Amino acid sequence: MTAPLEWRISEAPVPYPEAVAFMEARAAEIAAGTAPECIWLLEHPPLYTAGTSAKPADLVDPDRFEVHATGRGGQYTYHGPGQRVVYVMLDVGRRGRDLRRFVQQLEAWVIATLAEFGVKGELREGRVGVWVQRPEKRPLPDGAPAEDKIAAIGIRLRRWVSMHGLSINLEPDLTHFGGIVPCGIREHGVTSLVDLGCPVTMTDLDMALRRQFDAVFEGAGPEGR
């Protein structure tokens, strides 16, 4: 019988190298069948991460915070206090061995979580992550409505076990995103739940994430659990 999924919550900010070391060790144990799948909810101290597609020109202020190269897909992202980072160590091989479907489930999980707070998250072709429309802002030069990113998604697989995951902006310092071009996208901004006027606590967000994980992934786990 497969052990139940483990949920971990860290109250204090976790240094990035410490988080990566844990993920790599747990992923190896999951692949070997010696540890359960794990979802880790945490915050980081302010830092930038560079995914496998990161372009040097998108690191606008390289001396502002620590910069960590990472094996996940994507470009530059910011992590810091007030942002819920969700590291997802799941056995994708036993959950259908379908990477595209797995990413779609992660996207659906974020969108369903945001919906609990009345926020409509949307996907955009060619733009990774989850976006919200900002009709109160000035339209883009081509007349398209302004949109801001509220959640980032980037994963890595090792022996069909996922690492890294997603981040949702609850109440980070949005000026900290100014040191990079987030995910290489210059024409759109970044927002958060509090910036959108949602009085949400981290505990509220964590509870919504747990509820919606069950709703999205139910029946898709190892051996059909």
Side-chain angles (χ1 to χ4, degrees):
M1 179 179 294
T2 303
L5 173 71
E6 178 187 359
W7 287 82
R8 291 169 55 98
I9 299 179
S10 293
E11 299 297 336
V14 178
Y16 190 75
E18 179 182 324
V20 172
F22 176 87
M23 281 191 286
E24 291 179 345
R26 175 56 69 93
E29 293 168 348
I30 293 169
T34 58
E37 296 177 307
C38 178
I39 293 179
W40 189 8
L41 308 177
L42 67 139
E43 294 171 87
H44 283 305
L47 58 90
Y48 298 127
T49 64
T52 55
S53 302
K55 300 175 183 178
D58 288 343
L59 183 57
V60 178
D61 189 354
D63 298 322
R64 189 169 188 180
F65 299 125
E66 292 181 356
V67 180
H68 297 271
T70 179
R72 60 152 177 81
Q75 302 187 44
Y76 281 105
T77 60
Y78 165 77
H79 294 309
Q83 180 191 72
R84 179 49 94 208
V85 175
V86 185
Y87 285 139
V88 180
M89 290 148 275
L90 297 177
D91 192 338
V92 181
R94 298 179 68 189
R95 288 178 173 269
R97 211 176 183 87
D98 186 334
L99 177 57
R100 182 175 181 179
R101 177 171 178 262
F102 180 65
V103 172
Q104 290 172 341
Q105 288 176 315
L106 293 176
E107 293 169 339
W109 183 23
V110 173
I111 290 171
T113 298
L114 295 174
E116 287 208 17
F117 307 108
V119 173
K120 184 180 181 182
E122 299 179 312
L123 306 178
R124 291 292 180 263
E125 187 70 29
R127 282 193 257 141
V128 179
V130 178
W131 300 80
V132 293
Q133 294 191 24
R134 304 300 302 273
E136 74 280 10
K137 288 189 171 184
R138 179 179 299 177
L140 298 179
D142 63 0
E147 295 181 339
D148 287 340
K149 190 172 190 175
I150 193 168
I153 297 174
I155 64 167
R156 178 184 182 186
L157 291 185
R158 177 175 293 177
R159 295 174 62 190
W160 283 99
V161 176
S162 64
M163 293 185 289
H164 302 281
L166 56 97
S167 60
I168 298 176
N169 296 331
L170 175 68
E171 192 180 11
D173 185 336
L174 295 179
T175 66
H176 288 180
F177 287 87
I180 57 172
V181 178
C183 299
I185 299 169
R186 296 179 181 273
E187 63 271 28
H188 297 284
V190 181
T191 189
S192 69
L193 285 164
V194 171
D195 183 49
L196 293 171
C198 300
V200 179
T201 68
M202 199 65 81
T203 299
D204 294 333
L205 182 55
D206 290 348
M207 292 175 64
L209 282 164
R210 293 194 67 159
R211 283 192 296 268
Q212 296 306 323
F213 180 88
D214 291 339
V216 171
F217 285 88
E218 182 68 31
E223 299 176 352
R225 75 164 162 74

